[in-house]
Amino acid sequence: MDETSGIHRRGVLKGMAGLAATSAVGAFPMPAIAQNAPIKVGIIAPRAGTAAYIGANGLRAVEWTIEKINAAGGIAGRKVELVVEEETNAKETLERARRLVLQEKVDCIQGGYSTGVTLPMAPTLEDMQVLTIFWDGTTQDGVKETMPSPKYVFKSTDNECEAVMASLIALKHLKGQFKRIAAISPDYTYGRNVWTAFKALNKKFGIDAEVVSEQWSSFSQLDFTANVAALKAAKPDLIYCVLGNADLPIFMRAATSAGLTDTARMVLVQAGHQHGQLKKPFTPVGTLLCYNTMYFARPNPSPAQKEFVEYYMDKYKDYPHWESDRAFFAMNVYKAGVEKAMAAKGGSWPKPEEIAQAMEGIKVESFGGPAGMRKDHIAEEMFYGGFATHDNPYDVCTLKDTYSYDASVLQKPPGADFWGWLETANFPV
Amino acid sequence: MATVDLLFAALFNAAVLFLVTAGLQLIFGVQRIVNLTAGSLYALGAYFGASVFEWFSAQGGSPALLLPVLILSGLLAGQVGFVIERVLRTVYGRDEAFQLLMTFAFVLMFQDVLRYVWGAQPRLLGDLPSVYGTLAVGGFTFPVYNLLVMLSALVVAGLLYWLIERTSLGHVVRATAENGRMAEALGANTRRINTLVFVLGSMLGTVGGALVIPTTAASLEMPIALIVEAFAVVVIGGLGSIRGAFLGAIIVGVLRALSLTYFPELEVMSIYLVVIVVLVVRPYGLFGKAEA
């Protein structure tokens, strides 16, 4: 049973039907321009499988966000309603997105976790002229942007940002401490790309580390004893780990109990995905943890993050992660875009293309700090990482010192080639 | 050093595989049904074991009792075999395709039941294996919990051998497996034997799932992930053979560990390459019986 959505398709349909019926008999005439009708936002998020934990973070955050927005009068005076659809595979999710547009007539679509889904979905939504803001999905084929100049589709930060951050922190703070490196990752393009990026950055900064093992696990792999044995046999000083779903805590548990973490420093590129499951007994002090765009225990958080984290931990007995930030960011970018476009039109309701234009270059305050949407429709947010400490009141690790990076440092500029940019960029190491 | 670590990982994987495939083999050996629900029973055992241990802990139960509590919960969850067998009974003697389709229907139904009861998110049991600590011998570090699981699989193998080879019940089970009608004519209650065997096979699957949960996560992907390896074990060992399950599980476990070390991209291929070789050279498996 899922408690994440309080608003259901059936409920919205019944409400619409009731409204239409009362209008038909003349009891409550429908306004000529539906400026007082609620804004309908379609949400697409995974609710099953290993990504369900991530989807739940986003859904809970977007519900909290619209509650706050509606309590403050809505977006430009209109309340916001959510219509939630599940993200599964690309084909099914695209059908659900079409339904949101054609049947539910949503004003905007937000969500999307997997690039495998958003990559094929984005061109269709662009053709349908649907304002779309992805939480986490991109339109990158590997590291190549496939939609450089969209008009209606807005994408998240590049997938590689947190991996570049992991590499930069490792290079800055662990240089000289590792000579034998190994990787473990699910066997997909992202995992292979970020591992290649780490090796390229090592080379760029003059670190001659030997690659002693590369472990490519299958998706949803739930037993890592053999991988741990293979890694132990290779005797690495540093393990670059790109696991990020339920597989990450399982791997760390197996690695710790087999003594692998006693001899190798762990770099957990996607620690933020499962940080609530990375319990202290199997996440040693000194493990490099990357939290993506939100770190729940950030020192001096924004008032919004502080309030949300308290709400989340109290209600769900868990620690919110970056997908909460992405959902909050997407809704606030949309709100700011609508209000900016409306102000430019002297108070009349803007068209989708006018809202989209207003969102280009817009700045908002997200949970993770100052954030914005680039002119090429790619988000820029803050990223957080650092080394694990057990010195806190939680059952999970926090960061000894919090290192933060703006996405403008971690992400290739508009139109740039990722590999070329890695070679020429001036990184703060 | 590397060899010992690899062997340990391989044998742990083999221990879990053996428990589940032994159940599958037992059922096929007697009832001639390829029970696709083996993977679902394994997942059920994992989810149920996690819930039972969480409940046990909430009542103040000692974490040191992890292993016996999980075994008991697995045995309890395996009672679902009674219900499945009652339904399967309607297709005994029918074409194998009917039986296969019916067990497949159970797989799909189990998937929804697991999702409905436990939700879609994977469930972990925190750091419980560490309550048993690690064993350091000659520079090697072994998680004691994993050793206990391997020991449990050996005990189960021994008990199964004793039950089937050394007891009068085992004689009746073997007689039913050889020729059910003849056994019935000689006074054996084959209906009861079928139920007993199916429940015993189910319990092996659920105990396997319950035992593995502290080292992994219960998830909706478990049934398929398990069945892919379980069928390799069955084909290599020989359909219906417990000894085949034992050896097949070790072969698959070792192959997996070796391929992950030396050719990680070829993990599944290396296992199924051996499956194909066995199918071509010895189609009835290492311990299976050729059709008369």
Side-chain angles (χ1 to χ4, degrees):
Chain A
M1 306 296 277
D2 200 309
E3 79 286 16
T4 51
S5 175
I7 296 158
H8 299 283
R9 184 179 13 161
R10 194 171 292 172
V12 171
L13 284 172
K14 275 166 72 179
M16 295 295 285
L19 205 58
T22 49
S23 172
V25 296
F28 299 101
M30 291 284 277
I33 303 169
Q35 288 201 4
N36 295 320
I39 297 172
K40 288 174 79 172
V41 177
I43 301 290
I44 291 177
R47 304 177 84 166
T50 50
Y53 179 67
I54 290 161
N57 257 271
L59 284 166
R60 290 164 178 173
V62 76
E63 283 166 3
W64 181 87
T65 306
I66 62 153
E67 207 177 291
K68 295 285 167 194
I69 288 174
N70 285 341
I75 295 177
R78 290 171 66 184
K79 302 279 183 191
V80 183
E81 272 185 11
L82 300 182
V83 189
V84 178
E85 281 286 2
E86 185 173 358
E87 177 179 340
T88 51
N89 61 46
K91 185 172 173 289
E92 288 173 5
T93 310
L94 181 57
E95 285 312 309
R96 292 187 189 119
R98 278 186 208 274
R99 200 197 70 77
L100 285 174
V101 177
L102 300 173
Q103 200 173 327
E104 298 288 353
K105 303 199 185 308
V106 296
D107 299 278
C108 174
I109 285 182
Q110 297 176 20
Y113 161 64
S114 164
T115 293
V117 170
T118 57
L119 177 64
M121 192 165 78
T124 304
L125 295 174
E126 180 76 10
D127 287 345
M128 294 173 83
Q129 303 184 350
V130 182
L131 202 55
T132 303
I133 310 169
F134 290 138
W135 288 349
D136 197 31
T138 72
T139 51
Q140 290 186 173
D141 179 8
V143 292
K144 289 198 176 83
E145 181 53 59
T146 59
M147 288 178 70
S149 312
K151 197 171 171 186
Y152 295 92
V153 171
F154 290 80
K155 299 158 276 187
S156 73
T157 54
D158 286 358
N159 287 330
E160 292 71 33
C161 284
E162 62 189 346
V164 172
M165 176 178 69
S167 303
L168 295 182
I169 296 175
L171 291 167
K172 186 170 180 177
H173 297 277
L174 303 176
K175 191 173 181 180
Q177 296 178 38
F178 59 92
K179 288 187 173 147
R180 295 166 64 83
I181 57 175
I184 180 161
S185 165
D187 196 1
Y188 64 155
T189 314
Y190 172 74
R192 288 184 180 267
N193 279 340
V194 299
W195 170 233
T196 306
F198 179 59
K199 289 185 288 182
L201 285 169
N202 273 339
K203 194 176 165 193
K204 175 172 175 154
F205 289 99
I207 295 175
D208 185 22
E210 182 191 356
V211 177
V212 292
S213 179
E214 291 178 336
Q215 296 287 307
W216 304 109
S217 63
S218 55
F219 273 98
S220 309
Q221 185 172 317
L222 297 171
D223 171 27
F224 288 91
T225 45
N227 301 89
V228 167
L231 286 168
K232 266 184 88 178
K235 296 190 181 68
D237 308 312
L238 181 146
I239 296 171
Y240 192 83
C241 170
V242 197
L243 304 172
N245 288 319
D247 48 6
L248 177 57
I250 295 168
F251 167 72
M252 285 301 292
R253 207 164 45 184
T256 308
S257 59
L260 180 61
T261 52
D262 297 337
T263 54
R265 169 93 67 166
M266 292 287 176
V267 175
L268 306 185
V269 176
Q270 300 191 93
H273 292 223
Q274 294 290 329
H275 65 97
Q277 301 284 357
L278 287 172
K279 306 298 181 191
K280 286 175 180 172
F282 52 90
T283 312
V285 169
T287 301
L288 175 46
L289 305 171
C290 296
Y291 282 99
N292 207 292
T293 55
M294 180 178 169
Y295 166 43
F296 77 99
R298 175 163 66 103
N300 306 313
S302 64
Q305 168 164 337
K306 189 170 185 294
E307 187 183 346
F308 177 72
V309 170
E310 283 172 3
Y311 155 84
Y312 196 98
M313 288 174 65
D314 180 55
K315 182 164 184 182
Y316 300 109
K317 313 297 176 211
D318 196 3
Y319 315 92
H321 70 47
W322 99 103
E323 198 75 313
S324 293
D325 165 78
R326 302 299 182 86
F328 179 80
F329 170 74
M331 191 59 81
N332 278 288
V333 162
Y334 177 66
K335 179 177 184 288
V338 169
E339 289 171 353
K340 185 178 163 190
M342 201 163 170
K345 287 191 77 174
S348 61
W349 195 261
K351 295 175 188 166
E353 55 268 32
E354 291 167 334
I355 299 171
Q357 213 169 14
M359 280 161 52
E360 291 174 359
I362 209 159
K363 302 284 181 196
V364 296
E365 183 72 16
S366 195
F367 285 148
M373 193 60 84
R374 282 193 335 202
K375 298 266 186 201
D376 63 345
H377 292 206
I378 293 178
E380 277 190 335
E381 295 197 70
M382 298 296 293
F383 282 74
Y384 298 90
F387 295 98
T389 174
H390 289 179
D391 189 15
N392 62 50
Y394 312 114
D395 63 342
V396 295
C397 298
T398 47
L399 301 178
K400 187 168 184 292
D401 296 302
T402 306
Y403 306 123
S404 61
Y405 292 80
D406 191 290
S408 60
V409 175
L410 306 172
Q411 169 163 264
K412 65 181 184 291
D417 168 69
F418 178 71
W419 303 113
W421 167 73
L422 271 190
E423 281 179 19
T424 56
N426 192 15
F427 292 111
V429 173
Chain B
M1 292 283 280
T3 316
V4 175
D5 280 328
L6 283 175
L7 191 65
F8 182 77
L11 291 180
F12 174 68
N13 188 24
V16 177
L17 267 178
F18 166 71
L19 287 171
V20 183
T21 48
L24 210 148
Q25 300 283 62
L26 193 64
I27 291 168
F28 183 83
V30 176
Q31 286 151 302
R32 301 284 149 194
I33 286 177
V34 178
N35 182 24
L36 293 176
T37 55
S40 305
L41 291 165
Y42 171 70
L44 175 71
Y47 277 108
F48 191 70
S51 292
V52 168
F53 194 78
E54 280 167 359
W55 172 83
F56 179 74
S57 300
Q59 307 306 310
S62 166
L65 294 172
L66 175 67
L67 192 73
V69 169
L70 288 179
I71 290 174
L72 280 175
S73 72
L75 293 174
L76 203 58
Q79 303 311 307
V80 74
F82 276 113
V83 180
I84 301 172
E85 199 274 336
R86 291 288 293 192
V87 181
L88 277 178
R89 201 179 278 178
T90 58
V91 293
Y92 285 164
R94 283 217 222 164
D95 191 89
E96 284 170 4
F98 281 107
Q99 300 168 351
L100 209 59
L101 282 172
M102 190 169 270
T103 61
F104 184 60
F106 273 114
V107 171
L108 300 177
M109 285 162 65
F110 261 112
Q111 195 77 352
D112 276 3
V113 169
L114 295 177
R115 191 198 307 268
Y116 180 78
V117 177
W118 283 284
Q121 295 188 29
R123 289 173 75 92
L124 290 109
L125 261 188
D127 186 42
L128 281 168
S130 70
V131 299
Y132 292 108
T134 53
L135 185 68
V137 182
F140 305 107
T141 311
F142 304 112
V144 172
Y145 181 80
N146 293 21
L147 283 170
L148 291 173
V149 170
M150 287 151 67
L151 192 67
S152 304
L154 275 176
V155 169
V156 167
L159 283 174
L160 273 176
Y161 176 80
W162 172 78
L163 179 76
I164 291 169
E165 301 290 335
R166 295 277 186 263
T167 65
S168 53
L169 176 66
H171 293 159
V172 180
V173 168
R174 278 189 290 146
T176 308
E178 285 292 328
N179 190 330
R181 284 187 180 176
M182 179 65 80
E184 203 166 51
L186 292 172
N189 186 340
T190 53
R191 178 175 277 204
R192 189 172 292 172
I193 291 295
N194 280 333
T195 306
L196 184 76
V197 164
F198 198 90
V199 173
L200 186 59
S202 301
M203 287 195 297
L204 286 168
T206 47
V207 168
L211 284 179
V212 83
I213 182 66
T215 66
T216 182
S219 83
L220 296 175
E221 286 80 16
M222 276 182 113
I224 302 301
L226 187 276
I227 217 78
V228 167
E229 287 187 356
F231 276 111
V233 171
V234 166
V235 173
I236 293 170
L239 203 51
S241 164
I242 302 289
R243 278 189 300 170
F246 190 80
L247 190 65
I250 292 174
I251 291 172
V252 169
V254 170
L255 272 174
R256 185 165 175 266
L258 286 176
S259 58
L260 280 171
T261 307
Y262 300 107
F263 309 101
E265 294 90 343
L266 305 179
E267 176 203 343
V268 176
M269 200 196 92
S270 64
I271 295 169
Y272 274 83
L273 196 63
V274 174
V275 167
I276 288 171
V277 170
V278 169
L279 281 174
V280 171
V281 178
R282 196 178 163 88
Y284 39 90
L286 299 177
F287 288 99
K289 287 180 185 167
E291 290 292 327

